[in-house]
Amino acid sequence: MANQTATQTRQTPRQTPSRPVSGRPTPGRARAKQGENTPVRPFQMPFDAKNMRIIALGIAVIVIGYVVMYVSPVMSDMALTVSPILLLLGYCVIVPMGIMAGVRRKRSSGTEIAEPTTNGVA
């Protein structure tokens, strides 16, 4: 009898959790990470007008490649050589150039904001 009462009153770790049950951070901990003195980065468009023009040119070359392939006869030189060359230029040269245009300029002239360390001191 005494054994039964001792087991009934004893609490298991599931009944008394010593830490939060969920894996999500509590609002108090989230506020501690977001300090009042952290710098806010202004939103910048990832592509300039120059990038957009080059990407639009690449898309136009791709469309022309597909149109040439559609209009020309099945086994003609236009369908077998010119159209694949246009598509290759559009997909593999012009569009990536449009994405990467100005990367060196942005890296060197961009203002650097110091990232805060884990202890909060920059």
Side-chain angles (χ1 to χ4, degrees), residues 30-40:
R31 276 191 222 124
K33 288 182 182 179
Q34 298 171 354
E36 307 249 339
N37 58 357
T38 56
V40 178

Side-chain angles (χ1 to χ4, degrees), residues 3 5 12-13 15 28 31 39 51 60 70 73 87 91 97-98 107 114 117:
N3 232 356
T5 58
T12 62
Q15 292 172 342
R31 276 191 222 124
N51 295 82
Y70 177 75
L87 292 172
Y91 279 119
M97 275 179 41
R107 278 192 194 161
T117 58

Side-chain angles (χ1 to χ4, degrees), residues 38-42 110-116:
T38 56
V40 178
R41 295 182 189 167
T111 57
E112 296 293 326
I113 297 176
E115 293 291 328

Side-chain angles (χ1 to χ4, degrees), residues 34-104:
Q34 298 171 354
E36 307 249 339
N37 58 357
T38 56
V40 178
R41 295 182 189 167
F43 177 74
Q44 296 177 350
M45 286 294 290
F47 297 127
D48 296 333
K50 176 184 174 183
N51 295 82
M52 292 300 209
R53 277 187 248 126
I54 295 172
I55 292 173
L57 175 71
I59 291 172
V61 168
I62 291 169
V63 168
I64 290 170
Y66 280 117
V67 168
V68 167
M69 189 182 300
Y70 177 75
V71 171
S72 64
V74 176
M75 297 301 280
S76 69
D77 288 335
M78 294 290 280
L80 294 177
T81 57
V82 176
S83 179
I85 290 172
L86 287 174
L87 292 172
L88 187 70
L89 280 173
Y91 279 119
C92 297
V93 178
I94 299 173
V95 171
M97 275 179 41
I99 293 171
M100 299 300 292
V103 170
R104 290 184 187 159

